[in-house]
């Protein structure tokens, strides 16, 4: 077994040396079994770390690389055990991360400027890594699926705390919301359709697509590049976009079509099997005062029905909310910093400022009148907010915080099982880390006792 691993490692190292001589296109920072980690992949994760508002710190790359090695080891085992995820899962997770990144950046335009690429391009780039992370998470779940925690173990874990070291629990809220964005009428949309159709006719008349994209496209990530989106496959774009991209021949221009982002025309540049190289021009319809007024009347009607007990809040959320993450959860918001726990208890300092201004004057169990808002993506709308519960700040105790201590006790038990699993796999896996990271204390365990 070790001989095989050694030979495989030697072949990989030879391959990496050859690649390095090819103008050093991308540096390999780690090898694990038959998997490699590139500097570009590590830097992409570091950019996401910075976009979360964290200060620059090159040492963080050590921790990020460690997490990537964990992911690769889990993915390698997942391939052996035939563990996979559905593409719909990948789509949903990519979309969720994009919404979070847009919110952190302060809007789609700002994120695209920060990334120096369009959201569509960025989704294409992160999709493989998101898929790998989901597979790794599923494999980790399989390893720990038989780990259970009993009430006795929770009590034992709680008792392990010294009285003075019990955690302080800040004020927490449970919040429901019905989020609504205005819809334009066919007549209101027509002016944007006509604007883009006129541009399409100019392309058909011989004008340069790239120049027109730079002049008129409202996609800040690609407009500067003449609308160029690079190569992409069927899995990364909106279905309407994908449909036209794979239907047209090289050089052909689509009619005007609509996606969730707005109106597009696209031109196929090249097709390579299941990859298409295309460019597009985007026009984004703008909210009108009339559409907002119509939405306000609609929201007022929903609010009245909730107050009159004609419509439960949870039902109203599932019927009318435009928020995909909460509408099928009775309208209840999940704590985004702890997605795995799927808890609806949100610390006060993690609530959006606009929402906090509303709930700060509300009584528990009450529902707010429709309030106007502008999302981080720049979209205007109205929302109705439910304050389901409020827990004042306190010292952690089993009566109020049993679920929190149970989660921590289970995590501790799962960590032990995972540590034992990783220790065995590391001993039988070829691992090599670039000399640049030899001083990283987090990574020393990965080379200690690893197969050579």
């Amino acid at each position: 077994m070790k001989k095989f691993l050694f030979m495989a490692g030697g072949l990989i190292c030879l391959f990496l040396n050859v690649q390095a001589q090819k103008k050093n296109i991308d540096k390999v920072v780690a090898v694990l079994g038959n998997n490699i980690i590139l500097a570009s992949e590590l830097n992409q994760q570091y950019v996401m770390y910075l976009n979360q508002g964290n200060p620059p710190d090159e040492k963080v790359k050590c921790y990020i690389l460690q997490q990537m090695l964990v992911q690769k080891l889990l993915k390698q085992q997942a391939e052996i055990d035939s563990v996979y995820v559905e593409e719909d899962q990948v789509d949903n997770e990519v979309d969720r991360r994009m919404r979070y990144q847009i919110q952190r950046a302060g809007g789609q335009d700002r994120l695209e400027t920060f990334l120096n690429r369009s959201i569509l391009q960025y989704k294409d780039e992160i999709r493989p890594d998101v898929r790998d992370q989901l597979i790794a998470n599923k494999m980790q779940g399989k390893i720990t699926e038989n780990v259970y925690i009993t009430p006795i173990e929770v009590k034992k874990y709680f008792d392990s705390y010294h009285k003075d070291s019990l955690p302080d629990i800040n004020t927490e809220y449970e919040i429901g919301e019905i989020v609504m964005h205005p819809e334009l009428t066919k007549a209101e949309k027509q002016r944007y359709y006509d604007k883009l159709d006129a541009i399409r006719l100019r392309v058909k008349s011989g004008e340069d697509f790239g120049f027109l994209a730079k002049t008129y496209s409202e996609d800040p990530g690609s407009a500067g590049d003449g609308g160029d989106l690079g190569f992409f496959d069927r899995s990364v774009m909106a279905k309407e976009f994908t449909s036209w991209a794979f239907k047209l021949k090289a050089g052909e221009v689509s009619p005007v079509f609509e996606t969730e982002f707005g109106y597009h025309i696209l031109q196929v540049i090249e097709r390579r099997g299941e990859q298409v190289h295309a460019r597009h021009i985007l026009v984004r319809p703008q909210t009108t005062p009339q559409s907002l007024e119509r939405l306000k009347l609609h929201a007022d009607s929903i609010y009245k029905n909730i107050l009159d007990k004609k419509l439960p809040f949870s039902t109203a959320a599932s019927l009318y909310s435009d928020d995909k993450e909460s509408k099928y959860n009775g309208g209840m918001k999940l704590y985004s910093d702890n997605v795995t726990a799927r808890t609806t208890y949100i610390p006060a300092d993690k609530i959006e400022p606009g929402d906090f201004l509303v709930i700060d004057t509300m009584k528990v169990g009450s529902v707010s009148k429709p309030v106007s808002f502008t999302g981080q993506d720049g979209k205007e709308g109205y929302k109705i907010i439910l304050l389901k519960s409020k827990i004042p700040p306190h010292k952690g105790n089993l009566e109020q915080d049993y679920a929190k201590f149970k989660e921590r006790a289970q995590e501790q038990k799962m960590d032990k099982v995972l540590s034992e699993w990783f220790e065995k796999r590391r001993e039988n896996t070829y691992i090599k880390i670039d000399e640049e990271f030899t001083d990283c204390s987090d990574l020393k365990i990965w080379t200690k006792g690893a197969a050579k």
Side-chain angles (χ1 to χ4, degrees):
M1 179 67 175
K2 288 188 175 181
K3 181 179 180 182
F4 170 77
L5 290 169
F6 176 80
M7 292 174 63
L11 289 172
I12 292 170
C13 289
L14 177 61
F15 169 76
L16 300 183
N17 289 334
V18 172
Q19 291 297 99
Q21 293 172 11
K22 293 182 178 180
K23 301 181 180 180
N24 288 321
I25 295 174
D26 203 349
K27 180 180 178 181
V28 174
V29 294
V31 179
L32 188 149
N34 294 322
N35 297 284
I36 62 172
I37 298 175
L38 299 174
S40 59
E41 296 172 315
L42 177 60
N43 290 330
Q44 184 184 80
Q45 296 292 323
Y46 183 62
V47 167
M48 292 180 69
Y49 162 84
L50 295 176
N51 189 42
Q52 291 170 2
N54 297 305
D57 184 358
E58 288 291 319
K59 293 181 180 179
V60 172
K61 289 185 178 181
C62 292
Y63 173 76
I64 294 174
L65 182 54
Q66 181 194 27
Q67 296 305 303
M68 295 177 79
L69 286 165
V70 167
Q71 180 180 310
K72 294 293 184 185
L73 193 55
L74 287 166
K75 182 194 171 191
Q76 181 172 280
Q77 187 63 40
E79 291 172 355
I80 296 171
D81 292 354
S82 298
V83 173
Y84 64 93
V85 294
E86 300 292 342
E87 289 305 309
D88 285 349
Q89 269 185 277
V90 182
D91 290 338
N92 292 336
E93 180 61 14
V94 169
D95 289 342
R96 187 193 70 79
R97 294 191 187 194
M98 283 300 95
R99 288 193 293 272
Y100 178 74
Q101 291 288 323
I102 288 170
Q103 180 179 348
R104 294 293 310 183
Q108 181 172 323
D109 292 355
R110 293 183 65 179
L111 178 59
E112 290 179 325
T113 299
F114 176 74
L115 297 171
N116 195 31
R117 55 178 59 79
S118 71
I119 292 298
L120 293 174
Q121 287 173 302
Y122 188 57
K123 287 172 72 173
D124 188 16
E125 290 175 9
I126 71 169
R127 185 180 177 82
D129 187 58
V130 168
R131 183 190 290 107
D132 288 351
Q133 287 181 19
L134 290 175
I135 291 172
N137 290 344
K138 192 170 182 179
M139 186 64 228
Q140 183 170 311
K142 184 178 178 181
I143 297 167
T144 59
E145 63 184 352
N146 294 320
V147 176
Y148 299 102
I149 200 83
T150 66
I152 293 175
E153 289 175 309
V154 177
K155 179 68 164 57
K156 184 177 179 181
Y157 175 79
F158 177 80
D159 290 341
S160 68
Y161 280 90
H162 188 275
K163 186 176 181 180
D164 294 333
S165 65
L166 284 167
D168 291 313
I169 309 296
N170 294 325
T171 304
E172 294 180 320
Y173 296 86
E174 280 190 296
I175 303 170
E177 62 178 10
I178 301 171
V179 179
M180 293 168 283
H181 297 292
E183 292 186 8
L184 300 183
T185 64
K186 186 175 181 180
E188 288 169 335
K189 287 182 176 182
Q190 191 65 40
R191 56 180 293 219
Y192 300 100
Y193 179 97
D194 291 343
K195 175 183 177 181
L196 189 53
D197 196 44
I199 295 172
R200 183 186 69 84
L201 291 175
R202 290 171 64 178
V203 174
K204 299 289 284 185
S205 298
E207 292 192 49
D208 182 65
F209 191 104
F211 173 77
L212 292 172
K214 288 181 180 180
T215 307
Y216 296 108
S217 182
E218 295 173 15
D219 178 0
S222 68
D225 295 325
D228 197 332
L229 297 170
F231 279 94
F232 55 88
D233 61 31
R234 295 178 186 272
S235 64
V236 297
M237 301 296 190
K239 62 181 181 180
E240 301 89 351
F241 201 97
T242 299
S243 176
W244 280 109
F246 282 87
K247 184 183 298 183
L248 300 174
K249 297 178 181 178
E252 290 185 331
V253 178
S254 73
V256 177
F257 63 93
E258 187 177 8
T259 72
E260 61 183 293
F261 300 100
Y263 286 111
H264 309 254
I265 58 171
L266 71 81
Q267 182 182 51
V268 171
I269 299 172
E270 184 183 356
R271 173 85 176 266
R272 294 179 185 170
E274 288 303 299
Q275 293 275 323
V276 169
H277 182 190
R279 53 186 176 179
H280 80 138
I281 298 173
L282 170 68
V283 172
R284 291 174 171 165
Q286 301 299 313
T287 300
T288 65
Q290 294 82 4
S291 65
L292 281 171
E293 183 58 32
R294 290 194 301 270
L295 179 63
K296 176 65 164 59
L297 293 173
H298 181 52
D300 284 339
S301 175
I302 296 170
Y303 170 70
K304 187 175 185 304
N305 284 334
I306 294 172
L307 283 190
D308 293 343
K309 309 295 184 183
K310 294 179 180 178
L311 188 65
F313 185 91
S314 58
T315 303
S318 65
L319 290 174
Y320 302 113
S321 183
D322 293 325
D323 185 80
K324 295 178 181 178
E325 292 182 3
S326 65
K327 71 178 297 178
Y328 299 118
N329 190 40
M332 300 306 298
K333 296 188 68 172
L334 295 176
Y335 180 27
S336 60
D337 285 10
N338 191 358
V339 178
T340 54
R342 293 191 63 79
T343 179
T344 53
Y345 290 96
I346 307 174
D349 61 343
K350 296 295 183 178
I351 295 174
E352 295 176 19
D355 289 351
F356 189 80
L357 285 174
V358 177
I359 65 171
D360 194 38
T361 57
M362 290 174 62
K363 294 181 179 179
V364 172
S366 63
V367 177
S368 76
K369 292 181 177 180
V371 292
S372 61
F373 75 99
T374 301
Q376 295 291 344
D377 57 1
K379 291 184 179 180
E380 297 177 86
Y382 280 89
K383 65 170 63 174
I384 300 170
I385 298 176
L386 163 70
L387 177 56
K388 183 177 179 180
S389 68
K390 176 182 178 180
I391 300 178
H394 59 279
K395 276 283 184 184
N397 61 78
L398 278 183
E399 183 179 351
Q400 289 180 291
D401 308 300
Y402 181 86
K404 290 185 177 65
F405 285 106
K406 179 182 179 182
E407 181 185 348
R408 295 181 185 186
Q410 182 147 349
E411 285 177 354
Q412 186 183 74
K413 192 172 182 180
M414 289 168 65
D415 284 345
K416 182 180 179 181
V417 171
L418 284 169
S419 294
E420 292 171 354
W421 185 89
F422 277 111
E423 188 63 32
K424 291 178 181 177
R425 294 305 182 280
R426 277 196 298 263
E427 290 175 357
N428 297 304
T429 303
Y430 173 82
I431 300 172
K432 183 176 176 60
I433 299 174
D434 188 81
E435 294 180 357
E436 177 186 349
F437 299 94
T438 52
D439 292 334
C440 293
S441 58
D442 291 333
L443 297 172
K444 292 188 184 301
I445 191 173
W446 285 90
T447 52
K448 182 181 178 180
K452 302 297 182 183

